[in-house]
Amino acid sequence: DLAVTVHAPLTASAQASPAAGLAPFDTTLSAAAAGGLPPFTYAWTFGDGATGAGNPVLHTYAASGAYDAVVTVSDASGQSAQAHAAVAAVATLSVSVQASPERGNAPLTATLTATPSGGLGPFTLAWTFSDGGSAAGSPVTHTFVSPGTYTATATASDALGQTASASAPVTAVNPPVLTTALKKTGPFRVKVRGNNFHPGAQVLVNGTPVPETRRRSDTELVARGGAALKALLPKGQAVSLTVLNADDGGTSAPLPF
């Protein structure tokens, strides 16, 4: 009698251990063959231009990036099968932080955004604020209640256990207060009263700076500008006046005029 042995079709699987690491890093690539006729040979392409043979193999990924390691398994009957293993060579984790707005009237609510780069996701983001507050995630909002310059610090962590931190300053200012405004003639001008008017403060009409603002004290400003000022204040038409402290960005609440 003639005995015939039938072998199952050859299949292959592959894995990397570890599958991710901080570049440059070494990983062990191994393959498993099923079916087919032994002995098997193993030929590798590592996705970074290098090749290898054997099972398992050790390979160093020098540069950060996502790689596809491919093994071709061949058996004694001439069959071949391929398998893939994903490898991530990760750059050093860093993070950048942005606050919007960076300054404004107290109490100031700012939106804070942290952007990780490098590293291996998923990422976690933890915030600390120099007024004692904290938060998690990105973006986050935080209210700085009192005037002052604060620091918002984000710490990013990745799946490899790396951490990185970055900070952004946020300034909450004590705004000017606008209480009254009165038109004067000879020459035409507008006298503005309130408090906390800094040197360099400006009077604005519907958001447009008047041609000239003179500061008489921290409680009085005079808007001048002749015909240009009159053009900003059409007769019989209501406008909105504000005062801007140019040195710190503090802006008064609008005063109907």
Side-chain angles (χ1 to χ4, degrees):
D1 293 334
L2 178 65
V4 177
T5 301
V6 178
H7 296 279
L10 177 64
T11 62
S13 61
Q15 68 175 12
S17 181
L22 184 63
F25 89 106
D26 295 336
T27 187
T28 298
L29 294 140
S30 56
L37 177 66
F40 303 107
T41 61
Y42 303 85
W44 295 86
T45 59
F46 298 116
D48 60 357
T51 59
N55 185 43
V57 293
L58 180 68
H59 185 67
T60 300
Y61 287 92
S64 60
Y67 299 96
D68 181 27
V70 181
V71 63
T72 300
V73 181
S74 301
D75 74 354
S77 70
Q79 294 186 85
S80 64
Q82 283 191 336
H84 299 255
V87 181
V90 177
T92 300
L93 176 65
S94 63
V95 65
S96 60
V97 173
Q98 183 176 14
S100 179
E102 295 180 351
R103 74 170 50 234
N105 293 350
L108 175 63
T109 298
T111 299
L112 298 129
T113 304
T115 305
S117 60
L120 179 68
F123 303 100
T124 60
L125 292 158
W127 294 87
T128 57
F129 308 110
S130 59
D131 63 356
S134 60
S138 179
V140 298
T141 59
H142 184 71
T143 299
F144 299 91
V145 176
S146 302
T149 297
Y150 300 93
T151 301
T153 301
T155 298
S157 302
D158 77 350
L160 293 178
Q162 296 186 87
T163 60
S165 296
S167 300
V170 180
T171 301
V173 302
N174 189 23
V177 177
L178 176 54
T179 56
T180 63
L182 183 64
K183 288 182 183 178
K184 296 284 188 176
T185 57
F188 181 76
R189 62 200 187 279
V190 177
K191 184 180 290 186
V192 173
R193 292 187 180 276
N195 61 71
N196 195 37
F197 299 153
H198 293 187
Q202 293 178 306
V203 177
L204 291 81
V205 179
N206 292 336
T208 300
V210 301
E212 179 186 357
T213 300
R214 292 187 182 180
R215 179 179 179 270
R216 290 186 171 176
S217 69
D218 64 357
T219 61
E220 184 176 323
L221 302 172
V222 178
R224 296 175 177 267
L229 178 59
K230 287 183 178 181
L232 291 173
L233 300 166
K235 194 170 184 178
Q237 183 175 326
V239 297
S240 177
L241 300 183
T242 53
V243 172
L244 168 67
N245 281 335
D247 58 349
D248 64 9
T251 304
S252 72
L255 176 72
F257 183 66

